Amino acid sequence: MNTHRLPSVLTALLVSLLILGTSHAQKAARQGPKLKPDLANEHYGPHERHVLDFWKAKSDKPTPLVVFIHGGGFRAGSKEGISGSLFALLDKGISVMSINYRFSPEVTFPAHYMDSARAIQYARLHAKEWNIDPKRIGSTGGSAGAGTSLWIGFHDDMADPKSEDPVLRESTRLSCMAVFGAQCTYDPITITEWIGEAAARHPALEGFYGLKWDQYQTPAAREMFKKAAAITYLTKDDPPVYAFYSEPRGPLPPDAKPGTGIHHINFGIKLKEQMDALGIECTIRHADEKPNTGQETNDFFIKHLLGTK
């Protein structure tokens, strides 16, 4: 074996994983037993991908709920990728749900977000039947699922009390978010400034917006980027965040391939700066600290959904 080639080979492998929207943290989190859901492929909407799985915690009282939103660049992935470590929450009296949503290029912003929000509203509509507490719902996920969690969590409540659809009358608000490789913005101009152009040229972004790179500078595109950024909606009444990153720290290499940096910790650093200024809890962790992310994630949910450690 030519050991001189190892660094470049490892770099190429890392970039491949990033472009697929799958971080090392997400893969590690998937290790663990998968339990049969109490509800499998429950339809929360009309599309074939409007389905969810639900695991009901045993409790005499309504339980909190943690919602898993999968990653995959808004164009791939599945609810079956749920982190196995989340099932330990069932023994703590926290129910779990995992959802699918529509993909690019069939749909563009904000459809992916709105599908995920609808799944949360659907759970609230069935709160009594499922024995969940509609006031205690958290969200988790990696990459696209992480960005979606932050966007829903920071956005003003999207409930429409006058809607003819009973699902859409329910609240979209969250109590907390634990995310992996999260992007607090999908604005390619901001991403270029914070991280580098390689990250901004992630191929999934064109499908997410339905735009090509040479269309990014138009006023309409800039307005869309602002609306798609979770950090746009951040206010002092928003929920706490736990965020983990595994991509290397520091500047991107000059020859970085498109997509490199899309899970950079700078997203978390910028988010924490603004959340700290508003007095909101925001914990940022990196793989170089060697945290037990599964345990820390569950502890975070137990603290904020049950009020205990």
Side-chain angles (χ1 to χ4, degrees), residues 109 185-190 205-206 208-229 232-233:
F109 166 80
T185 180
Y186 290 110
D187 179 346
I189 289 85
T190 301
L205 291 180
E206 291 188 347
F208 176 67
Y209 288 118
L211 298 172
K212 297 297 183 182
W213 177 264
D214 59 7
Q215 299 174 300
Y216 282 4
Q217 296 294 339
T218 67
R222 296 302 298 269
E223 182 63 22
M224 190 188 304
F225 299 157
K226 181 180 179 181
K227 291 179 178 179
T232 297
Y233 306 95

Side-chain angles (χ1 to χ4, degrees), residues 5 72 85 116 166:
R5 295 187 59 200
S85 62
S116 301

Side-chain angles (χ1 to χ4, degrees), residues 16-307:
S16 298
L17 291 173
L18 293 174
I19 290 176
L20 287 172
T22 305
S23 70
H24 173 75
Q26 287 173 274
K27 291 184 70 181
R30 290 188 187 127
Q31 304 304 315
K34 299 296 190 297
L35 303 178
K36 183 178 179 180
D38 293 273
L39 292 174
N41 294 314
E42 174 82 2
H43 277 270
Y44 67 84
H47 193 274
E48 63 181 358
R49 285 197 56 81
H50 287 160
V51 290
L52 61 84
D53 294 339
F54 173 73
W55 292 263
K56 185 177 182 179
K58 295 180 180 179
S59 175
D60 295 332
K61 298 179 180 179
T63 71
L65 175 67
V66 167
V67 180
F68 175 80
I69 305 175
H70 70 76
F74 300 104
R75 56 186 184 172
S78 170
K79 59 183 172 59
E80 279 70 35
I82 185 172
S83 167
S85 62
L86 289 175
F87 294 126
L89 292 173
L90 296 172
D91 292 333
K92 299 295 183 179
I94 298 176
S95 295
V96 177
M97 185 170 83
S98 186
I99 70 171
N100 282 348
Y101 49 86
R102 289 172 293 171
F103 288 149
S104 307
E106 179 183 353
V107 297
T108 57
F109 166 80
H112 321 80
Y113 290 160
M114 299 310 296
D115 284 359
S116 301
R118 180 181 177 87
I120 293 166
Q121 292 172 298
Y122 185 88
R124 279 198 165 99
L125 181 65
H126 292 83
K128 186 175 181 179
E129 177 186 350
W130 296 1
N131 195 38
I132 60 174
D133 182 348
K135 295 183 178 179
R136 293 184 292 165
I137 297 181
S139 183
T140 187
S143 194
T148 301
S149 294
L150 294 181
W151 190 88
I152 295 172
F154 296 154
H155 202 287
D156 290 344
D157 199 337
M158 292 177 282
D160 180 2
K162 298 180 180 179
S163 175
E164 294 182 359
D165 184 341
V167 175
L168 298 182
R169 298 176 204 152
E170 299 291 333
S171 173
T172 60
R173 291 293 283 167
L174 295 171
S175 298
C176 53
M177 296 86 77
V179 291
F180 296 81
Q183 303 89 11
C184 58
T185 180
Y186 290 110
D187 179 346
I189 289 85
T190 301
I191 294 173
T192 299
E193 177 187 341
W194 288 358
I195 299 160
E197 187 175 306
R201 285 185 176 271
H202 193 292
L205 291 180
E206 291 188 347
F208 176 67
Y209 288 118
L211 298 172
K212 297 297 183 182
W213 177 264
D214 59 7
Q215 299 174 300
Y216 282 4
Q217 296 294 339
T218 67
R222 296 302 298 269
E223 182 63 22
M224 190 188 304
F225 299 157
K226 181 180 179 181
K227 291 179 178 179
I231 205 165
T232 297
Y233 306 95
L234 184 63
T235 52
K236 63 181 180 181
D237 60 341
D238 283 331
V241 169
Y242 170 94
F244 174 85
Y245 294 87
S246 60
E247 190 168 350
R249 299 179 187 262
L252 302 183
D255 59 346
K257 295 182 179 179
T260 307
I262 200 61
H263 301 119
H264 202 281
I265 195 172
N266 281 6
F267 285 109
I269 291 171
K270 294 292 186 180
L271 176 62
K272 183 171 174 58
E273 288 175 358
Q274 294 201 28
M275 293 187 72
D276 283 352
L278 293 170
I280 309 170
E281 178 186 332
C282 181
T283 301
I284 304 298
R285 300 283 269 154
H286 192 274
D288 59 19
E289 300 169 301
K290 297 179 171 56
N292 182 335
T293 55
Q295 187 62 56
E296 289 188 356
T297 297
N298 287 355
D299 287 346
F300 174 82
F301 283 129
I302 291 167
K303 174 184 176 181
H304 291 287
L305 296 177
L306 293 176

